[in-house]
Amino acid sequence: MDKMTVPWSWVWGLLFWTCWETLAQPLDCKDELGGFTRCTSISQEKLLDRIIQHAELIYRVSEESCALFEDMFIPLPMRAVRIQGGNVCMAQPFPIPSSKSELQQISDKWLLHSVLMLVQSWIEPLVYLQTTLNQYDDAPDNLLNKTKWVAEKLLSLEQGVVVLMRKMLEGGILTTSVHEQSVIQPDVQPEMLDSILRDYNVLTCFKKDVHKMETLLKLLKCRQFDKFSCILY
């Protein structure tokens, strides 16, 4: 009887997805009653480490989603034009520090607050992106699964950031919600090419913003626990 051989790409793919799910699970902060008790017992340093790890994984999967989308729907000449002209990302409706001088002028709490606003600004656009991708006739399951995973893990990232912010404020209140600040208008029904380009722009702009989140979180970590490494930022 012949032994069934399994392609190594399937094996590695399964291992990576299992690893992601295992590593991301600690940021599922909400309990059965909707509270954040699952993360409140974690030290501030360990919670920040998990949040950074979560952001890194989201960025990695967003990169893979962009690559898959390009391979399926964006012709090479169009990619070259976009690279030369740069991706047009809408300005955020709130100030996000980017230059070194700006970062040096804001406190740790407002650094984390900037991350939270970035996270929240992408929750609705990713939900809508999932809806539009499901309408494609030939969208591969791998792409749909990755974008769905990213949308779900972004909510976990939001939970972790909220808990960390509460720890840093020591019970103080600093609330913000920019869910309504959507970069997508769901009532618009564009032509297919416009829809593809818009979805591609959402993916690429999201990837850029996740990289910003990751950078801001790592800067926060070095300020809090390893000031000598802050020279890198």
Side-chain angles (χ1 to χ4, degrees):
M1 183 178 179
D2 295 335
K3 293 184 179 180
M4 183 176 63
T5 59
V6 179
W8 276 109
S9 59
W10 291 8
V11 176
W12 283 113
L14 179 60
L15 287 174
F16 276 129
W17 275 102
T18 303
C19 177
W20 287 337
E21 290 296 332
T22 302
L23 292 174
Q25 186 63 30
L27 262 189
D28 185 14
C29 295
K30 283 193 174 181
D31 55 29
E32 292 78 5
L33 299 177
F36 294 115
T37 56
R38 290 178 181 170
C39 288
T40 52
S41 60
I42 304 173
S43 71
Q44 187 170 311
E45 184 176 5
K46 287 185 178 179
L47 179 58
L48 180 54
D49 282 338
R50 292 182 182 182
I51 290 172
I52 291 172
Q53 186 182 65
H54 216 68
E56 289 173 341
L57 292 172
I58 291 174
Y59 177 73
R60 193 180 309 164
V61 180
S62 69
E63 274 193 314
E64 294 175 358
S65 299
C66 282
L68 278 171
F69 195 93
E70 285 181 345
D71 291 342
M72 285 294 299
F73 304 111
I74 308 297
L76 286 173
M78 191 178 296
R79 295 184 214 175
V81 171
R82 289 180 66 84
I83 290 172
Q84 292 173 3
N87 292 321
V88 180
C89 298
M90 292 183 64
Q92 294 289 1
F94 44 84
I96 296 295
S98 55
S99 69
K100 199 164 188 176
S101 60
E102 288 176 335
L103 290 171
Q104 289 173 347
Q105 293 173 19
I106 65 171
S107 67
D108 293 356
K109 293 173 183 177
W110 280 102
L111 200 63
L112 188 58
H113 185 249
S114 298
V115 174
L116 180 61
M117 288 192 293
L118 269 177
V119 170
Q120 291 180 333
S121 72
W122 278 105
I123 290 175
E124 283 190 4
L126 287 187
V127 171
Y128 184 64
L129 175 65
Q130 192 70 27
T131 301
T132 60
L133 290 179
N134 282 328
Q135 296 173 356
Y136 286 29
D137 292 332
D138 48 358
D141 289 340
N142 198 18
L143 175 62
L144 296 176
N145 291 337
K146 287 180 184 295
T147 54
K148 181 180 179 182
W149 184 92
V150 166
E152 291 173 349
K153 297 310 174 186
L154 193 66
L155 292 173
S156 297
L157 183 62
E158 181 194 27
Q159 295 170 16
V161 172
V162 167
V163 174
L164 181 60
M165 184 174 289
R166 289 179 180 176
K167 285 177 177 288
M168 290 180 64
L169 291 172
E170 296 179 348
I173 298 175
L174 177 59
T175 59
T176 179
S177 177
V178 291
H179 286 234
E180 69 277 10
Q181 303 285 355
S182 176
V183 298
I184 302 297
Q185 297 179 5
D187 56 330
V188 176
Q189 296 296 330
E191 296 296 329
M192 191 61 188
L193 178 59
D194 290 340
S195 178
I196 289 174
L197 292 178
R198 182 204 59 210
D199 292 344
Y200 181 49
N201 207 53
V202 169
L203 283 168
T204 53
C205 291
F206 173 69
K207 182 179 72 171
K208 284 185 177 181
D209 275 357
V210 175
H211 188 260
K212 289 180 188 176
M213 298 174 203
E214 188 180 335
T215 301
L216 294 176
L217 288 166
K218 289 179 178 178
L219 174 58
L220 177 63
K221 180 182 177 181
C222 85
R223 282 186 180 184
Q224 292 270 312
F225 305 107
D226 187 14
K227 287 183 168 54
F228 292 108
S229 66
C230 284
I231 193 172
L232 299 175
Y233 301 93

